[in-house]
């Protein structure tokens, strides 16, 4: 019997489809197109109990939530886990056309701002239409603002550090509050507006976006007019500057807030209103950050469980609020806002430590599996003195007893086995050496970083290529100390370099401009080549961890030359610092992603395939091993940042059986 497909009550309009973000259109067609919009059904106040827009993420935990009943409505205060003292405060007015929403409507956003900016966030449950028409909701918005301003001390708030904001109709309320506060002589530090309603007289004749986006989902023209008429049934009120902040007199703008963020959506009916409001503020000398996000319609902010653009939007808002309150925006990370992982990327539980060491490593690095004697080798390069660990495994790849530990005379950051000879070739902080696996003694082969440069550079990661040459990458110590995303624009080229040390003892400079060179790996192309002299070009991957990127290069096996540098994976927005990595026989990269609790897998074309989540924040380096060579052994590091989780398992060893064979780590032929 054929499957009956229900007709779509609100299919995407042909004028919209080519312009619409694919994630949005896929979700809309699956979850929204078949049903009616709010203006197409009989009004029922019970509908306010459901989300106005599906696809939102859950709230995050915060330190405390306090509801405060005012005379006619309630406000909710979210408190972060922050040091004692008066907190900066940010009031947020929810959207919903002055008809939908409520006290919990945008808890997910409020909790993210609260944690990211380390401020108190106040949500306002202003009264809504049709029960309460204009100007009740507008007056409630200002009443809430005045209450917080006048009672800040008893709420634990520092009202000298005060921001406001809102989305859609909430943006309308925030703009109105900024005008009224300015006229009352109350200083507001900044304002955040998302897809704001700025002019309730707007129509297709007066605004471009009302014409070109009248059929866009989320807020088509008919729905917007329904909202307007529910709250503003008297058309004489449409041009009231309380209802239409864009139409306010110049004096209102002159006295208004000085710093404003305005985010608009390309396919939003209201886009041109937001553009006009940002322009008018700028014309009055205000400092404006105005950004339009491509391919998305109205209510994008509410769909952060299904849209990547929504998450970037919220991340950018959180960074702005955090920076306004004195926190560096680079400290606001996507992984903290969305710890459940990325949209559409499967997340697998990798579990707790496989081997829990007696003393956790400060920074575990360079795991190596040797099949001949079934041993796993790794270093703790930041312990003082640094240590080499050798752990015996059984035939099934499980640990036997405790590791043998050797103290090292220098900090070794990466080591690779030598071919047909005992011990390792390694990078120590200043150069290349042989490392004795029985004594831990170093035989210095080449000092690359002279003594006078050791304060600005050190070696970090490295690997041996299939021709037996040792590659080693440096760190720019000053740039690294600033943190990911914090390099000043005038810093100049970072000082880290990539070197190649050949079996004949020759040294070759291969790359410059690195903050934190890390995680070299090669694609599997050369694995089936019978003669490296006739092998094709393959690819070599190099991480710049602190910059948040992975580069790919063409790699010529016979000469060891690299060329055609290109960006392969970019984590600067999504977060996580790519650290040690390995490649499997299918060409997938398995990357220990520092700061994310994960090993992430990317396909040969750079697609994020899956995550394996562990109980340590700082996964540091990976190696293949085990009887079938399909198991990842992962070294991790302690989380030594303020606010680290007490149950973090950093500094121990983890493993995960992938089920796909990995490429071996090659041995140095010298």
């Amino acid at each position: 019997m054929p499957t009956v497909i229900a007709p779509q009550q609100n299919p995407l309009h042909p004028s919209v489809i080519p312009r619409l973000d694919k994630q949005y259109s896929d979700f809309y067609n699956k979850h929204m197109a078949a049903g009616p919009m709010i203006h197409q059904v009989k009004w029922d106040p019970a509908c306010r109990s459901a989300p106005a827009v599906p696809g939102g993420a859950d709230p995050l935990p915060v330190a405390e939530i306090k509801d405060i009943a005012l005379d006619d409505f309630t406000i909710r205060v979210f408190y972060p886990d922050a040091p004692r003292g008066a907190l900066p405060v940010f009031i947020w007015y929810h959207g919903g056309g002055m008809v939908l929403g409520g006290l919990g409507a945008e808890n997910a956003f409020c909790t993210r701002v609260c944690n990211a900016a380390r401020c108190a966030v106040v949500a306002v449950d202003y009264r809504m239409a049709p029960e309460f028409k204009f100007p009740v909701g507008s007056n409630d918005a200002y009443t809430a603002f005045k209450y917080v301003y006048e009672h800040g001390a008893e709420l634990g708030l520092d009202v000298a550090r005060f921001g406001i904001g809102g989305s859609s109709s909430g943006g309308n309320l925030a703009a109105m509050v900024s005008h009224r506060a300015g006229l009352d002589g109350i200083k507001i530090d900044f304002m955040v507006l998302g897809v704001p309603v700025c002019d309730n007289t707007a129509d297709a004749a007066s605004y471009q976006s009302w014409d070109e986006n009248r059929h866009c989902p989320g807020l088509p023209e008919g729905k917007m007019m329904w909202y307007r008429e529910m709250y503003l049934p008297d058309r004489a009120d449409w041009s009231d500057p309380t209802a239409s902040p864009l139409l306010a007199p110049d004096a209102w703008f002159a006295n208004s807030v000085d710093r404003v963020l305005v985010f608009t959506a390309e396919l939003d009916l209201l886009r041109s209103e937001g553009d006009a409001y940002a322009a008018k503020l700028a014309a009055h000398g205000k400092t404006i950050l105005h950004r339009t996000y491509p391919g998305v319609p109205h209510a994008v902010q509410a769909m952060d469980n299904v849209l990547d653009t929504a998450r970037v939007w919220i991340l950018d808002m959180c960074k702005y609020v955090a920076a306004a309150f004195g926190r560096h925006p680079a400290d606001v990370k996507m992984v903290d806002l969305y710890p459940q992982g990325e949209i559409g990327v499967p997340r697998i539980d990798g579990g707790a430590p496989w081997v829990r060491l007696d003393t956790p490593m400060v920074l575990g690095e360079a795991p190596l599996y040797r099949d001949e004697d079934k041993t796993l080798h790794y270093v703790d390069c930041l312990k003082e003195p640094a240590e080499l660990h050798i752990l015996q495994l059984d035939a099934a790849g499980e640990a036997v007893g405790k590791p043998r530990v050797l103290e090292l005379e220098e900090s070794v950051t990466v080591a690779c086995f030598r071919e047909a000879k005992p011990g390792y070739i390694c990078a120590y902080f200043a150069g290349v050496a042989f490392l004795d696996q029985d004594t831990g003694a170093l035989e210095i082969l080449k000092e690359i970083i002279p003594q006078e440069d050791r304060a600005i550079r050190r070696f970090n990661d490295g690997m041996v290529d299939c021709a037996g040459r040792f590659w080693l990458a440096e760190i720019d110590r000053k740039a690294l100390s600033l943190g990911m995303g914090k390099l000043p624009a005038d810093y100049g080229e970072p000082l880290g370099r990539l070197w190649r040390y050949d079996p004949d003892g020759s040294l070759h400079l291969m790359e410059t401009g690195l903050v934190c060179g890390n995680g070299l790996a090669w694609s599997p192309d050369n694995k089936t080549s019978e003669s490296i002299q006739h092998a094709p070009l393959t690819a070599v991957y190099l991480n710049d961890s602190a910059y948040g990127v992975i580069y790919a290069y063409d790699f010529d096996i016979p000469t060891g030359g690299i060329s055609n540098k290109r960006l392969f994976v970019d984590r600067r927005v999504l977060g996580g610092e790519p650290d040690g990595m390995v490649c499997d026989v299918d060409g997938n990269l398995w990357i220990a992603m520092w700061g994310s609790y994960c090993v992430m897998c990317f396909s040969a074309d750079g697609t994020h395939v899956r995550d394996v989540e562990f109980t340590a924040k700082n996964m540091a380096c990976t190696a293949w091993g085990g009887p079938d060579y399909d198991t990842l052994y992962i070294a991790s590091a302690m989380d030594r940042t303020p606010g680290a989780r007490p149950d973090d398992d950093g500094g121990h060893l983890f493993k995960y059986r992938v089920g796909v064979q990995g490429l071996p780590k090659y041995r140095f032929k010298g």
Side-chain angles (χ1 to χ4, degrees):
M1 186 174 181
T3 301
V4 177
I5 300 176
Q8 293 184 330
Q9 184 170 347
N10 287 289
L12 292 171
H13 193 271
S15 67
V16 175
I17 293 171
R19 300 186 289 145
L20 193 58
D21 176 274
K22 187 177 185 305
Q23 282 183 320
Y24 187 98
S25 60
D26 288 349
F27 184 82
Y28 182 88
N29 286 330
K30 185 175 181 180
H31 299 285
M32 300 169 71
M37 296 188 190
I38 187 65
H39 65 294
Q40 296 168 333
V41 297
K42 183 179 179 181
W43 168 247
D44 182 353
C47 69
R48 292 191 182 119
S49 63
V53 179
D58 291 332
L60 294 177
V62 295
E64 183 183 0
I65 299 175
K66 182 186 295 184
D67 287 351
I68 301 171
L70 305 186
D71 289 342
D72 298 305
F73 61 95
T74 300
I75 62 172
R76 174 171 290 170
V77 187
F78 300 86
Y79 291 93
D81 185 5
R84 290 181 178 273
L87 293 165
V89 57
F90 180 65
I91 293 185
W92 183 254
Y93 300 101
H94 70 79
M98 304 301 295
V99 178
L100 301 178
L103 193 57
E106 298 187 21
N107 280 2
F109 176 73
C110 292
T111 56
R112 283 169 172 80
V113 176
C114 176
N115 289 338
R118 296 174 179 170
C119 67
V121 176
V122 180
V124 181
D125 191 21
Y126 55 86
R127 289 171 289 174
M128 291 176 285
E131 299 91 335
F132 299 96
K133 305 183 189 306
F134 178 81
V136 173
S138 303
N139 289 338
D140 286 352
Y142 195 65
T143 297
F145 170 79
K146 287 291 294 291
Y147 177 86
V148 172
Y149 181 76
E150 293 169 357
H151 295 81
E154 63 195 72
L155 296 173
L157 309 178
D158 177 6
V159 296
R161 295 182 292 163
F162 208 139
I164 64 173
S167 62
S168 189
S169 57
N172 174 284
L173 296 177
M176 176 275 302
V177 167
S178 74
H179 291 321
R180 289 184 62 176
L183 295 174
D184 286 347
I186 302 174
K187 178 178 171 51
I188 299 173
D189 287 335
F190 64 92
M191 180 166 64
V192 173
L193 304 179
V195 293
V197 178
C198 297
D199 182 357
N200 269 306
T201 71
D203 58 23
S206 55
Y207 290 100
Q208 179 183 352
S209 63
W210 271 73
D211 182 31
E212 66 184 31
N213 293 334
R214 64 174 62 194
H215 300 297
C216 284
L219 191 65
E221 184 178 27
K223 185 177 181 180
M224 180 59 199
M225 293 306 299
W226 180 85
Y227 283 136
R228 184 185 291 175
E229 289 164 1
M230 291 283 271
Y231 185 57
L232 295 157
D234 185 347
R235 293 195 172 209
D237 292 329
W238 290 10
S239 59
D240 187 314
T242 298
S244 295
L246 183 60
L247 307 183
D250 286 347
W252 292 26
F253 278 89
N255 289 295
S256 184
V257 59
D258 289 330
R259 289 185 295 163
V260 183
L261 175 149
V262 181
F263 282 177
T264 54
E266 181 190 11
L267 273 65
D268 183 17
L269 188 79
L270 309 181
R271 187 196 68 227
S272 297
E273 296 178 43
D275 296 345
Y277 192 73
K280 191 165 183 178
L281 285 166
H284 282 82
K286 311 301 183 179
T287 300
I288 307 301
L289 174 58
H290 179 208
R291 189 173 297 161
T292 299
Y293 289 74
V296 288
H298 194 79
V300 54
Q301 182 176 325
M303 301 179 71
D304 55 333
N305 208 39
V306 296
L307 298 184
D308 289 330
T309 300
R311 290 192 174 185
V312 174
W313 174 296
I314 289 171
L315 174 68
D316 291 346
M317 279 192 170
C318 288
K319 284 177 177 285
Y320 183 89
V321 178
F325 287 144
R327 192 178 186 204
H328 197 292
D331 289 330
V332 180
K333 301 181 187 299
M334 187 74 84
V335 68
D336 296 324
L337 297 180
Y338 297 97
Q340 69 270 37
E342 292 168 39
I343 295 166
V345 178
R347 199 170 182 91
I348 302 162
D349 183 11
W354 160 64
V355 172
R356 198 175 286 276
L357 302 170
D358 289 343
T359 302
M361 294 178 288
V362 180
L363 174 54
E365 286 283 14
L368 284 170
Y369 175 76
R370 188 162 61 196
D371 189 57
E372 300 96 289
D373 59 357
K374 305 292 188 293
T375 51
L376 184 68
H377 306 235
Y378 53 95
V379 298
D380 183 353
C381 62
L382 291 187
K383 188 168 184 181
E384 296 183 359
E387 294 178 342
L388 167 68
H389 293 206
I390 302 175
L391 179 64
Q392 183 66 53
L393 308 184
D394 62 20
E398 297 297 334
V400 178
K402 296 181 180 181
R404 181 163 65 94
V405 178
L406 296 173
E407 291 187 351
L408 304 177
E409 56 196 70
E410 287 267 9
S411 177
V412 169
T413 56
V414 64
C416 296
F417 295 127
R418 301 172 66 188
E419 187 171 279
K421 294 178 182 177
Y424 323 81
I425 189 169
C426 71
Y428 67 101
F429 268 21
V432 184
F434 287 143
L435 172 61
D436 189 303
Q437 75 173 49
D438 294 319
T439 66
L442 291 180
E443 177 188 342
I444 305 300
L445 301 174
K446 186 79 70 173
E447 183 183 275
I448 301 171
I449 302 174
Q451 189 69 37
E452 61 268 22
D453 286 350
R454 292 192 184 188
I456 61 174
R457 291 187 177 102
R458 74 165 174 86
F459 277 102
N460 187 42
D461 206 355
M463 197 53 59
V464 173
D465 68 28
C466 64
R469 297 166 293 222
F470 183 49
W471 297 65
L472 58 166
E474 293 176 348
I475 283 174
D476 178 335
R477 300 183 82 154
K478 179 180 178 182
L480 181 66
S481 71
L482 296 174
M484 183 176 174
K486 298 181 181 179
L487 205 64
D490 61 354
Y491 186 83
E493 182 178 82
L495 301 177
R497 302 167 294 187
L498 174 67
W499 300 87
R500 194 188 77 221
Y501 182 79
D502 291 357
D504 64 5
S506 59
L507 183 68
H508 309 270
L509 178 62
M510 305 304 294
E511 182 61 287
T512 60
L514 302 173
V515 178
C516 181
N518 219 330
L520 283 99
W522 279 262
S523 66
D525 311 43
N526 60 73
K527 184 174 185 294
T528 57
S529 301
E530 295 182 3
S531 169
I532 63 169
Q533 284 76 24
H534 301 93
L537 288 174
T538 182
V540 60
Y541 303 102
L542 171 68
N543 298 340
D544 192 336
S545 297
Y547 192 47
V549 299
I550 303 174
Y551 297 112
Y553 302 77
D554 291 342
F555 175 62
D556 186 68
I557 299 172
T559 66
I562 59 175
S563 60
N564 189 27
K565 179 181 180 180
R566 54 204 180 269
L567 185 62
F568 181 68
V569 172
D570 189 344
R571 303 296 303 178
R572 285 173 290 184
V573 172
L574 295 173
E577 299 177 32
D579 207 323
M581 62 184 174
V582 289
C583 202
D584 67 29
V585 295
D586 294 331
N588 299 306
L589 278 172
W590 296 82
I591 307 159
M593 200 64 70
W594 183 276
S596 74
Y597 296 92
C598 285
V599 170
M600 296 184 180
C601 178
F602 290 81
S603 67
D605 65 1
T607 300
H608 192 173
V609 178
R610 67 181 64 88
D611 293 340
V612 185
E613 183 179 19
F614 298 94
T615 56
K617 180 178 181 179
N618 294 327
M619 307 305 288
C621 199
T622 53
W624 294 107
D628 299 316
Y629 224 75
D630 64 351
T631 298
L632 284 174
Y633 293 97
I634 310 125
S636 68
M638 297 171 64
D639 182 6
R640 298 189 291 174
T641 59
R645 282 172 30 179
D647 60 346
D648 187 272
D649 282 323
H652 300 290
L653 296 174
F654 295 79
K655 79 167 186 171
Y656 179 76
R657 187 173 183 273
V658 174
V660 176
Q661 193 175 48
L663 292 179
K665 291 190 175 181
Y666 299 105
R667 301 189 180 196
F668 182 67
K669 294 186 176 181

